[in-house]
mmCIF file with all atom_site columns, all heavy atoms in Angstrom:
data_model
loop_
_atom_site.group_PDB
_atom_site.id
_atom_site.type_symbol
_atom_site.label_atom_id
_atom_site.label_alt_id
_atom_site.label_comp_id
_atom_site.label_asym_id
_atom_site.label_entity_id
_atom_site.label_seq_id
_atom_site.pdbx_PDB_ins_code
_atom_site.Cartn_x
_atom_site.Cartn_y
_atom_site.Cartn_z
_atom_site.occupancy
_atom_site.B_iso_or_equiv
_atom_site.pdbx_formal_charge
_atom_site.auth_seq_id
_atom_site.auth_comp_id
_atom_site.auth_asym_id
_atom_site.auth_atom_id
_atom_site.pdbx_PDB_model_num
ATOM 1   N N   . TYR B 1 12  ? -17.244 1.688  10.408 1.00 97.00 ? 12  TYR B N   1
ATOM 2   C CA  . TYR B 1 12  ? -17.079 0.830  9.256  1.00 97.00 ? 12  TYR B CA  1
ATOM 3   C C   . TYR B 1 12  ? -18.036 -0.313 9.157  1.00 97.00 ? 12  TYR B C   1
ATOM 4   O O   . TYR B 1 12  ? -18.443 -0.706 8.047  1.00 97.00 ? 12  TYR B O   1
ATOM 5   C CB  . TYR B 1 12  ? -15.605 0.249  9.206  1.00 97.00 ? 12  TYR B CB  1
ATOM 6   C CG  . TYR B 1 12  ? -14.586 1.326  8.935  1.00 97.00 ? 12  TYR B CG  1
ATOM 7   C CD1 . TYR B 1 12  ? -13.294 1.267  9.513  1.00 97.00 ? 12  TYR B CD1 1
ATOM 8   C CD2 . TYR B 1 12  ? -14.826 2.401  8.078  1.00 97.00 ? 12  TYR B CD2 1
ATOM 9   C CE1 . TYR B 1 12  ? -12.378 2.236  9.273  1.00 97.00 ? 12  TYR B CE1 1
ATOM 10  C CE2 . TYR B 1 12  ? -13.895 3.386  7.846  1.00 97.00 ? 12  TYR B CE2 1
ATOM 11  C CZ  . TYR B 1 12  ? -12.684 3.337  8.451  1.00 97.00 ? 12  TYR B CZ  1
ATOM 12  O OH  . TYR B 1 12  ? -11.739 4.262  8.188  1.00 97.00 ? 12  TYR B OH  1
ATOM 13  N N   . VAL B 1 180 ? -6.489  -3.183 8.693  1.00 98.00 ? 180 VAL B N   1
ATOM 14  C CA  . VAL B 1 180 ? -6.683  -2.161 9.734  1.00 98.00 ? 180 VAL B CA  1
ATOM 15  C C   . VAL B 1 180 ? -8.169  -1.727 9.928  1.00 98.00 ? 180 VAL B C   1
ATOM 16  O O   . VAL B 1 180 ? -8.483  -1.094 10.914 1.00 98.00 ? 180 VAL B O   1
ATOM 17  C CB  . VAL B 1 180 ? -5.902  -0.894 9.506  1.00 98.00 ? 180 VAL B CB  1
ATOM 18  C CG1 . VAL B 1 180 ? -4.397  -1.140 9.724  1.00 98.00 ? 180 VAL B CG1 1
ATOM 19  C CG2 . VAL B 1 180 ? -6.145  -0.330 8.139  1.00 98.00 ? 180 VAL B CG2 1
ATOM 20  N N   . ARG B 1 185 ? -13.014 3.228  12.788 1.00 95.00 ? 185 ARG B N   1
ATOM 21  C CA  . ARG B 1 185 ? -12.826 4.507  12.206 1.00 95.00 ? 185 ARG B CA  1
ATOM 22  C C   . ARG B 1 185 ? -12.556 5.567  13.240 1.00 95.00 ? 185 ARG B C   1
ATOM 23  O O   . ARG B 1 185 ? -12.982 6.719  13.160 1.00 95.00 ? 185 ARG B O   1
ATOM 24  C CB  . ARG B 1 185 ? -14.046 4.864  11.343 1.00 95.00 ? 185 ARG B CB  1
ATOM 25  C CG  . ARG B 1 185 ? -13.863 6.057  10.373 1.00 95.00 ? 185 ARG B CG  1
ATOM 26  C CD  . ARG B 1 185 ? -15.073 6.179  9.485  1.00 95.00 ? 185 ARG B CD  1
ATOM 27  N NE  . ARG B 1 185 ? -15.104 7.404  8.728  1.00 95.00 ? 185 ARG B NE  1
ATOM 28  C CZ  . ARG B 1 185 ? -15.584 8.519  9.171  1.00 95.00 ? 185 ARG B CZ  1
ATOM 29  N NH1 . ARG B 1 185 ? -16.188 8.646  10.350 1.00 95.00 ? 185 ARG B NH1 1
ATOM 30  N NH2 . ARG B 1 185 ? -15.515 9.613  8.411  1.00 95.00 ? 185 ARG B NH2 1
ATOM 31  N N   . LYS B 1 186 ? -11.767 5.158  14.259 1.00 95.00 ? 186 LYS B N   1
ATOM 32  C CA  . LYS B 1 186 ? -11.407 6.122  15.299 1.00 95.00 ? 186 LYS B CA  1
ATOM 33  C C   . LYS B 1 186 ? -10.091 6.804  14.904 1.00 95.00 ? 186 LYS B C   1
ATOM 34  O O   . LYS B 1 186 ? -9.182  6.173  14.294 1.00 95.00 ? 186 LYS B O   1
ATOM 35  C CB  . LYS B 1 186 ? -11.138 5.409  16.620 1.00 95.00 ? 186 LYS B CB  1
ATOM 36  C CG  . LYS B 1 186 ? -12.366 4.891  17.274 1.00 95.00 ? 186 LYS B CG  1
ATOM 37  C CD  . LYS B 1 186 ? -12.035 4.124  18.570 1.00 95.00 ? 186 LYS B CD  1
ATOM 38  C CE  . LYS B 1 186 ? -11.074 2.982  18.363 1.00 95.00 ? 186 LYS B CE  1
ATOM 39  N NZ  . LYS B 1 186 ? -11.682 1.834  17.592 1.00 95.00 ? 186 LYS B NZ  1
ATOM 40  N N   . THR B 1 191 ? -2.931  3.739  13.828 1.00 97.00 ? 191 THR B N   1
ATOM 41  C CA  . THR B 1 191 ? -3.547  3.244  12.574 1.00 97.00 ? 191 THR B CA  1
ATOM 42  C C   . THR B 1 191 ? -3.491  4.322  11.423 1.00 97.00 ? 191 THR B C   1
ATOM 43  O O   . THR B 1 191 ? -4.158  4.156  10.420 1.00 97.00 ? 191 THR B O   1
ATOM 44  C CB  . THR B 1 191 ? -5.007  2.787  12.816 1.00 97.00 ? 191 THR B CB  1
ATOM 45  O OG1 . THR B 1 191 ? -5.711  3.826  13.564 1.00 97.00 ? 191 THR B OG1 1
ATOM 46  C CG2 . THR B 1 191 ? -5.065  1.499  13.564 1.00 97.00 ? 191 THR B CG2 1
ATOM 47  N N   . LEU B 1 192 ? -2.727  5.375  11.666 1.00 98.00 ? 192 LEU B N   1
ATOM 48  C CA  . LEU B 1 192 ? -2.523  6.306  10.518 1.00 98.00 ? 192 LEU B CA  1
ATOM 49  C C   . LEU B 1 192 ? -1.805  5.535  9.407  1.00 98.00 ? 192 LEU B C   1
ATOM 50  O O   . LEU B 1 192 ? -1.007  4.644  9.646  1.00 98.00 ? 192 LEU B O   1
ATOM 51  C CB  . LEU B 1 192 ? -1.627  7.484  11.042 1.00 98.00 ? 192 LEU B CB  1
ATOM 52  C CG  . LEU B 1 192 ? -2.222  8.448  12.004 1.00 98.00 ? 192 LEU B CG  1
ATOM 53  C CD1 . LEU B 1 192 ? -1.159  9.490  12.450 1.00 98.00 ? 192 LEU B CD1 1
ATOM 54  C CD2 . LEU B 1 192 ? -3.444  9.163  11.392 1.00 98.00 ? 192 LEU B CD2 1
ATOM 55  N N   . LEU B 1 193 ? -2.027  5.999  8.186  1.00 98.00 ? 193 LEU B N   1
ATOM 56  C CA  . LEU B 1 193 ? -1.279  5.404  7.041  1.00 98.00 ? 193 LEU B CA  1
ATOM 57  C C   . LEU B 1 193 ? 0.200   5.550  7.221  1.00 98.00 ? 193 LEU B C   1
ATOM 58  O O   . LEU B 1 193 ? 0.967   4.652  6.940  1.00 98.00 ? 193 LEU B O   1
ATOM 59  C CB  . LEU B 1 193 ? -1.772  6.090  5.771  1.00 98.00 ? 193 LEU B CB  1
ATOM 60  C CG  . LEU B 1 193 ? -0.932  5.761  4.497  1.00 98.00 ? 193 LEU B CG  1
ATOM 61  C CD1 . LEU B 1 193 ? -0.696  4.331  4.272  1.00 98.00 ? 193 LEU B CD1 1
ATOM 62  C CD2 . LEU B 1 193 ? -1.644  6.327  3.285  1.00 98.00 ? 193 LEU B CD2 1
ATOM 63  N N   . ALA B 1 194 ? 0.655   6.663  7.819  1.00 98.00 ? 194 ALA B N   1
ATOM 64  C CA  . ALA B 1 194 ? 2.085   6.867  7.977  1.00 98.00 ? 194 ALA B CA  1
ATOM 65  C C   . ALA B 1 194 ? 2.683   6.000  9.077  1.00 98.00 ? 194 ALA B C   1
ATOM 66  O O   . ALA B 1 194 ? 3.896   5.864  9.193  1.00 98.00 ? 194 ALA B O   1
ATOM 67  C CB  . ALA B 1 194 ? 2.386   8.358  8.256  1.00 98.00 ? 194 ALA B CB  1
ATOM 68  N N   . GLU B 1 195 ? 1.799   5.355  9.902  1.00 98.00 ? 195 GLU B N   1
ATOM 69  C CA  . GLU B 1 195 ? 2.289   4.467  10.924 1.00 98.00 ? 195 GLU B CA  1
ATOM 70  C C   . GLU B 1 195 ? 2.065   2.970  10.612 1.00 98.00 ? 195 GLU B C   1
ATOM 71  O O   . GLU B 1 195 ? 2.935   2.128  10.780 1.00 98.00 ? 195 GLU B O   1
ATOM 72  C CB  . GLU B 1 195 ? 1.552   4.764  12.272 1.00 98.00 ? 195 GLU B CB  1
ATOM 73  C CG  . GLU B 1 195 ? 1.772   6.179  12.805 1.00 98.00 ? 195 GLU B CG  1
ATOM 74  C CD  . GLU B 1 195 ? 3.105   6.379  13.498 1.00 98.00 ? 195 GLU B CD  1
ATOM 75  O OE1 . GLU B 1 195 ? 3.517   5.524  14.319 1.00 98.00 ? 195 GLU B OE1 1
ATOM 76  O OE2 . GLU B 1 195 ? 3.758   7.378  13.196 1.00 98.00 ? 195 GLU B OE2 1
ATOM 77  N N   . GLY B 1 197 ? 0.955   1.839  7.544  1.00 97.00 ? 197 GLY B N   1
ATOM 78  C CA  . GLY B 1 197 ? 1.264   1.481  6.164  1.00 97.00 ? 197 GLY B CA  1
ATOM 79  C C   . GLY B 1 197 ? 2.678   0.989  6.075  1.00 97.00 ? 197 GLY B C   1
ATOM 80  O O   . GLY B 1 197 ? 3.535   1.351  6.905  1.00 97.00 ? 197 GLY B O   1
ATOM 81  N N   . ILE B 1 238 ? -6.385  -2.633 4.135  1.00 98.00 ? 238 ILE B N   1
ATOM 82  C CA  . ILE B 1 238 ? -7.616  -2.236 4.803  1.00 98.00 ? 238 ILE B CA  1
ATOM 83  C C   . ILE B 1 238 ? -8.497  -3.427 5.218  1.00 98.00 ? 238 ILE B C   1
ATOM 84  O O   . ILE B 1 238 ? -8.904  -3.498 6.321  1.00 98.00 ? 238 ILE B O   1
ATOM 85  C CB  . ILE B 1 238 ? -8.371  -1.233 3.846  1.00 98.00 ? 238 ILE B CB  1
ATOM 86  C CG1 . ILE B 1 238 ? -7.523  -0.001 3.598  1.00 98.00 ? 238 ILE B CG1 1
ATOM 87  C CG2 . ILE B 1 238 ? -9.712  -0.855 4.481  1.00 98.00 ? 238 ILE B CG2 1
ATOM 88  C CD1 . ILE B 1 238 ? -8.104  1.005  2.599  1.00 98.00 ? 238 ILE B CD1 1
ATOM 89  N N   . TYR D 1 12  ? 7.020   13.977 12.743 1.00 97.00 ? 12  TYR D N   1
ATOM 90  C CA  . TYR D 1 12  ? 7.844   13.338 11.717 1.00 97.00 ? 12  TYR D CA  1
ATOM 91  C C   . TYR D 1 12  ? 9.045   14.165 11.266 1.00 97.00 ? 12  TYR D C   1
ATOM 92  O O   . TYR D 1 12  ? 10.088  13.561 10.974 1.00 97.00 ? 12  TYR D O   1
ATOM 93  C CB  . TYR D 1 12  ? 6.945   13.044 10.460 1.00 97.00 ? 12  TYR D CB  1
ATOM 94  C CG  . TYR D 1 12  ? 5.901   11.991 10.758 1.00 97.00 ? 12  TYR D CG  1
ATOM 95  C CD1 . TYR D 1 12  ? 4.661   12.013 10.151 1.00 97.00 ? 12  TYR D CD1 1
ATOM 96  C CD2 . TYR D 1 12  ? 6.172   10.881 11.591 1.00 97.00 ? 12  TYR D CD2 1
ATOM 97  C CE1 . TYR D 1 12  ? 3.718   11.013 10.386 1.00 97.00 ? 12  TYR D CE1 1
ATOM 98  C CE2 . TYR D 1 12  ? 5.251   9.896  11.844 1.00 97.00 ? 12  TYR D CE2 1
ATOM 99  C CZ  . TYR D 1 12  ? 4.038   9.979  11.246 1.00 97.00 ? 12  TYR D CZ  1
ATOM 100 O OH  . TYR D 1 12  ? 3.074   9.017  11.473 1.00 97.00 ? 12  TYR D OH  1
ATOM 101 N N   . VAL D 1 180 ? 1.449   10.854 2.699  1.00 98.00 ? 180 VAL D N   1
ATOM 102 C CA  . VAL D 1 180 ? 0.731   11.361 3.873  1.00 98.00 ? 180 VAL D CA  1
ATOM 103 C C   . VAL D 1 180 ? 1.579   11.823 5.014  1.00 98.00 ? 180 VAL D C   1
ATOM 104 O O   . VAL D 1 180 ? 1.086   12.511 5.904  1.00 98.00 ? 180 VAL D O   1
ATOM 105 C CB  . VAL D 1 180 ? -0.275  10.277 4.434  1.00 98.00 ? 180 VAL D CB  1
ATOM 106 C CG1 . VAL D 1 180 ? -1.397  10.051 3.472  1.00 98.00 ? 180 VAL D CG1 1
ATOM 107 C CG2 . VAL D 1 180 ? 0.494   9.003  4.761  1.00 98.00 ? 180 VAL D CG2 1
ATOM 108 N N   . ARG D 1 185 ? 1.995   13.730 12.281 1.00 94.00 ? 185 ARG D N   1
ATOM 109 C CA  . ARG D 1 185 ? 1.674   12.547 13.087 1.00 94.00 ? 185 ARG D CA  1
ATOM 110 C C   . ARG D 1 185 ? 0.495   12.874 14.038 1.00 94.00 ? 185 ARG D C   1
ATOM 111 O O   . ARG D 1 185 ? 0.472   12.464 15.216 1.00 94.00 ? 185 ARG D O   1
ATOM 112 C CB  . ARG D 1 185 ? 2.922   12.209 13.909 1.00 94.00 ? 185 ARG D CB  1
ATOM 113 C CG  . ARG D 1 185 ? 2.886   10.838 14.562 1.00 94.00 ? 185 ARG D CG  1
ATOM 114 C CD  . ARG D 1 185 ? 4.282   10.453 15.109 1.00 94.00 ? 185 ARG D CD  1
ATOM 115 N NE  . ARG D 1 185 ? 4.164   9.315  15.909 1.00 94.00 ? 185 ARG D NE  1
ATOM 116 C CZ  . ARG D 1 185 ? 3.977   9.336  17.267 1.00 94.00 ? 185 ARG D CZ  1
ATOM 117 N NH1 . ARG D 1 185 ? 3.804   10.447 17.908 1.00 94.00 ? 185 ARG D NH1 1
ATOM 118 N NH2 . ARG D 1 185 ? 3.928   8.212  17.950 1.00 94.00 ? 185 ARG D NH2 1
ATOM 119 N N   . LYS D 1 186 ? -0.436  13.614 13.544 1.00 95.00 ? 186 LYS D N   1
ATOM 120 C CA  . LYS D 1 186 ? -1.631  13.858 14.350 1.00 95.00 ? 186 LYS D CA  1
ATOM 121 C C   . LYS D 1 186 ? -2.674  12.774 14.098 1.00 95.00 ? 186 LYS D C   1
ATOM 122 O O   . LYS D 1 186 ? -2.820  12.253 12.932 1.00 95.00 ? 186 LYS D O   1
ATOM 123 C CB  . LYS D 1 186 ? -2.301  15.181 13.905 1.00 95.00 ? 186 LYS D CB  1
ATOM 124 C CG  . LYS D 1 186 ? -1.509  16.431 14.261 1.00 95.00 ? 186 LYS D CG  1
ATOM 125 C CD  . LYS D 1 186 ? -2.204  17.702 13.738 1.00 95.00 ? 186 LYS D CD  1
ATOM 126 C CE  . LYS D 1 186 ? -2.364  17.684 12.215 1.00 95.00 ? 186 LYS D CE  1
ATOM 127 N NZ  . LYS D 1 186 ? -1.114  17.801 11.473 1.00 95.00 ? 186 LYS D NZ  1
ATOM 128 N N   . THR D 1 191 ? -6.460  10.683 7.591  1.00 97.00 ? 191 THR D N   1
ATOM 129 C CA  . THR D 1 191 ? -5.180  10.140 7.253  1.00 97.00 ? 191 THR D CA  1
ATOM 130 C C   . THR D 1 191 ? -4.958  8.754  7.787  1.00 97.00 ? 191 THR D C   1
ATOM 131 O O   . THR D 1 191 ? -3.880  8.182  7.784  1.00 97.00 ? 191 THR D O   1
ATOM 132 C CB  . THR D 1 191 ? -3.995  11.067 7.646  1.00 97.00 ? 191 THR D CB  1
ATOM 133 O OG1 . THR D 1 191 ? -4.276  11.479 9.010  1.00 97.00 ? 191 THR D OG1 1
ATOM 134 C CG2 . THR D 1 191 ? -3.916  12.304 6.758  1.00 97.00 ? 191 THR D CG2 1
ATOM 135 N N   . LEU D 1 192 ? -6.052  8.141  8.321  1.00 98.00 ? 192 LEU D N   1
ATOM 136 C CA  . LEU D 1 192 ? -5.994  6.710  8.696  1.00 98.00 ? 192 LEU D CA  1
ATOM 137 C C   . LEU D 1 192 ? -5.664  5.863  7.510  1.00 98.00 ? 192 LEU D C   1
ATOM 138 O O   . LEU D 1 192 ? -6.027  6.224  6.397  1.00 98.00 ? 192 LEU D O   1
ATOM 139 C CB  . LEU D 1 192 ? -7.356  6.270  9.265  1.00 98.00 ? 192 LEU D CB  1
ATOM 140 C CG  . LEU D 1 192 ? -7.770  6.870  10.640 1.00 98.00 ? 192 LEU D CG  1
ATOM 141 C CD1 . LEU D 1 192 ? -9.163  6.367  11.002 1.00 98.00 ? 192 LEU D CD1 1
ATOM 142 C CD2 . LEU D 1 192 ? -6.790  6.458  11.708 1.00 98.00 ? 192 LEU D CD2 1
ATOM 143 N N   . LEU D 1 193 ? -4.994  4.755  7.712  1.00 98.00 ? 193 LEU D N   1
ATOM 144 C CA  . LEU D 1 193 ? -4.732  3.829  6.617  1.00 98.00 ? 193 LEU D CA  1
ATOM 145 C C   . LEU D 1 193 ? -6.021  3.415  5.956  1.00 98.00 ? 193 LEU D C   1
ATOM 146 O O   . LEU D 1 193 ? -6.128  3.261  4.707  1.00 98.00 ? 193 LEU D O   1
ATOM 147 C CB  . LEU D 1 193 ? -3.915  2.624  7.145  1.00 98.00 ? 193 LEU D CB  1
ATOM 148 C CG  . LEU D 1 193 ? -3.750  1.426  6.187  1.00 98.00 ? 193 LEU D CG  1
ATOM 149 C CD1 . LEU D 1 193 ? -3.302  1.855  4.821  1.00 98.00 ? 193 LEU D CD1 1
ATOM 150 C CD2 . LEU D 1 193 ? -2.783  0.446  6.759  1.00 98.00 ? 193 LEU D CD2 1
ATOM 151 N N   . ALA D 1 194 ? -7.066  3.180  6.762  1.00 98.00 ? 194 ALA D N   1
ATOM 152 C CA  . ALA D 1 194 ? -8.312  2.744  6.204  1.00 98.00 ? 194 ALA D CA  1
ATOM 153 C C   . ALA D 1 194 ? -9.057  3.776  5.403  1.00 98.00 ? 194 ALA D C   1
ATOM 154 O O   . ALA D 1 194 ? -9.986  3.507  4.658  1.00 98.00 ? 194 ALA D O   1
ATOM 155 C CB  . ALA D 1 194 ? -9.244  2.182  7.301  1.00 98.00 ? 194 ALA D CB  1
ATOM 156 N N   . GLU D 1 195 ? -8.573  5.044  5.488  1.00 98.00 ? 195 GLU D N   1
ATOM 157 C CA  . GLU D 1 195 ? -9.204  6.152  4.754  1.00 98.00 ? 195 GLU D CA  1
ATOM 158 C C   . GLU D 1 195 ? -8.323  6.594  3.548  1.00 98.00 ? 195 GLU D C   1
ATOM 159 O O   . GLU D 1 195 ? -8.778  6.829  2.467  1.00 98.00 ? 195 GLU D O   1
ATOM 160 C CB  . GLU D 1 195 ? -9.451  7.383  5.655  1.00 98.00 ? 195 GLU D CB  1
ATOM 161 C CG  . GLU D 1 195 ? -10.405 7.088  6.798  1.00 98.00 ? 195 GLU D CG  1
ATOM 162 C CD  . GLU D 1 195 ? -11.866 7.108  6.406  1.00 98.00 ? 195 GLU D CD  1
ATOM 163 O OE1 . GLU D 1 195 ? -12.285 7.988  5.656  1.00 98.00 ? 195 GLU D OE1 1
ATOM 164 O OE2 . GLU D 1 195 ? -12.580 6.142  6.807  1.00 98.00 ? 195 GLU D OE2 1
ATOM 165 N N   . GLY D 1 197 ? -5.434  5.055  2.597  1.00 97.00 ? 197 GLY D N   1
ATOM 166 C CA  . GLY D 1 197 ? -4.783  3.946  1.874  1.00 97.00 ? 197 GLY D CA  1
ATOM 167 C C   . GLY D 1 197 ? -5.662  3.594  0.654  1.00 97.00 ? 197 GLY D C   1
ATOM 168 O O   . GLY D 1 197 ? -6.882  3.752  0.704  1.00 97.00 ? 197 GLY D O   1
ATOM 169 N N   . ILE D 1 238 ? 3.613   6.910  2.102  1.00 98.00 ? 238 ILE D N   1
ATOM 170 C CA  . ILE D 1 238 ? 4.090   7.652  3.257  1.00 98.00 ? 238 ILE D CA  1
ATOM 171 C C   . ILE D 1 238 ? 4.957   8.828  2.854  1.00 98.00 ? 238 ILE D C   1
ATOM 172 O O   . ILE D 1 238 ? 4.691   9.981  3.252  1.00 98.00 ? 238 ILE D O   1
ATOM 173 C CB  . ILE D 1 238 ? 4.820   6.759  4.262  1.00 98.00 ? 238 ILE D CB  1
ATOM 174 C CG1 . ILE D 1 238 ? 3.814   5.690  4.754  1.00 98.00 ? 238 ILE D CG1 1
ATOM 175 C CG2 . ILE D 1 238 ? 5.335   7.570  5.442  1.00 98.00 ? 238 ILE D CG2 1
ATOM 176 C CD1 . ILE D 1 238 ? 4.453   4.624  5.715  1.00 98.00 ? 238 ILE D CD1 1
#
Side-chain angles (χ1 to χ4, degrees):
Chain B
Y12 291 146
V180 291
R185 194 171 169 271
K186 290 179 301 292
T191 47
L192 292 176
L193 170 48
E195 299 282 314
I238 299 175
Chain D
Y12 291 146
V180 291
R185 194 170 168 270
K186 290 178 300 291
T191 46
L192 291 176
L193 170 48
E195 299 281 314
I238 299 175

